[in-house]
Amino acid sequence: MNLSEILPQLKAWFPAADHKERDLPGGGRWYYVPWQSIRARLDEVCPDWQVSYGEPIYLDKYCVISCTITICGVSRQAIGNAPIELISSKGKDMSRGTPIERAIADAFKNAAEAFGIAAYLDEQVDDKTKADFVRYMQKHGNGKAVVNYQENQRLERGEPPTPKRVDPPSRPFGQPAPSTKSVITESQRKRLWAIATNNGGYTEAGFKRLIEGCGFASSRSITVDKYSEICLRASDPGTAAIYNQESQAS
């Protein structure tokens, strides 16, 4: 066995369920594969792989450590780091494990990525790979990937983040709850189509995939409470490119 023979297995995409969300340093959210899943991949593909770590170093507020992974006699090294303290805005300790444990996990994932393991999730990867990943997650039932992708695109363009939904204040006792499940009007449907075609660049088939991806059989069944969110997706060219390509492939 040599490295070139097993590289395709090492680089293969992980099952959709293995991907976890994380916050990005500049805002937005994307995905990563936990170190436990990476270790399992190494055990499966190359049981005699080896790993070693350097001595931890403390630089300012961070713990830094190196990791070397050896596969089929080939060694690759990477650095990992972790903040010594993770304190929330409310003063709560948010850290899991010691700084050394967290730095080791980060270094291990980075060294594995040097072999191409989970490299498709790198923040600097090309847009086509990101779009392919979104379609991969959608195919396996994760519709939130496209929302994260769209939000990241907005932030990269320098646009403000999408406001978080705020629940309406509690109604006075005895008053019925306002209905949020009524469907949109014909005028709203036409406006949505205009936004999708003029701003987003959707094809008819791509627009249909967008509606289906949001959980509706057609635009006639879109509910009022989801209308604004769908309009936002419809206006984004990056999201349109994903759904347009997906409709051509199906």
Side-chain angles (χ1 to χ4, degrees):
M1 178 189 300
N2 59 57
L3 182 59
S4 61
E5 292 176 343
I6 64 174
L7 268 180
Q9 299 175 65
L10 293 174
K11 293 181 177 181
W13 287 17
F14 284 80
D18 284 357
H19 298 87
K20 311 299 180 184
E21 288 188 45
R22 67 183 179 93
D23 293 326
L24 297 178
R29 295 176 67 81
W30 200 234
Y31 297 85
Y32 74 97
V33 174
W35 66 267
Q36 294 92 335
S37 297
I38 295 174
R39 184 182 61 185
R41 168 70 58 84
L42 288 168
D43 289 341
E44 177 184 0
V45 176
C46 184
D48 60 349
W49 68 281
Q50 298 176 330
V51 62
S52 62
Y53 298 94
E55 290 294 324
I57 301 173
Y58 292 90
L59 299 175
D60 194 15
K61 298 180 180 180
Y62 288 85
C63 176
V64 181
I65 198 167
S66 65
C67 173
T68 301
I69 293 178
T70 302
I71 303 175
C72 297
V74 178
S75 298
R76 293 178 183 174
Q77 186 181 73
I79 301 296
N81 67 80
I84 297 174
E85 291 185 327
L86 282 175
I87 306 299
S88 70
S89 58
K90 296 182 179 179
K92 182 179 179 182
D93 185 4
M94 303 294 290
S95 61
R96 293 185 178 180
T98 67
I100 293 178
E101 289 171 337
R102 288 183 276 116
I104 284 176
D106 186 54
F108 178 76
K109 288 185 289 185
N110 291 339
E113 187 176 331
F115 286 96
I117 302 173
Y120 58 92
L121 296 173
D122 191 285
E123 298 160 40
Q124 306 302 320
V125 77
D126 60 277
D127 286 338
K128 181 181 182 303
T129 301
K130 290 181 180 178
D132 287 343
F133 175 72
V134 170
R135 284 191 287 270
Y136 173 75
M137 296 295 279
Q138 284 183 314
K139 182 179 178 181
H140 292 84
N142 187 324
K144 194 175 180 182
V146 70
V147 178
N148 289 330
Y149 173 84
Q150 179 182 0
E151 183 68 10
N152 293 344
Q153 291 289 306
R154 286 173 55 84
L155 295 174
E156 289 178 7
R157 294 194 296 267
E159 299 176 15
T162 304
K164 293 184 178 180
R165 180 177 175 180
V166 179
D167 293 332
S170 300
R171 64 188 184 280
F173 177 76
Q175 289 190 6
S179 173
T180 59
K181 296 302 181 182
S182 57
V183 297
I184 61 175
T185 65
E186 184 66 22
S187 297
Q188 288 174 314
R189 288 182 60 242
K190 291 180 179 179
R191 175 175 177 269
L192 176 59
W193 171 246
I195 291 174
T197 54
N198 297 333
N199 297 2
Y202 278 83
T203 63
E204 183 175 353
F207 179 71
K208 181 179 179 181
R209 287 293 301 124
L210 166 67
I211 302 304
E212 292 173 349
C214 292
F216 298 99
S218 72
S219 60
R220 295 184 183 278
S221 59
I222 295 174
T223 54
V224 173
D225 61 321
K226 296 293 184 181
Y227 181 63
S228 296
E229 177 185 339
I230 297 176
C231 282
L232 184 62
R233 295 195 197 184
S235 66
D236 185 72
T239 308
I242 293 174
Y243 281 115
N244 289 345
Q245 293 177 13
E246 185 175 307
S247 66
Q248 293 175 356
S250 59

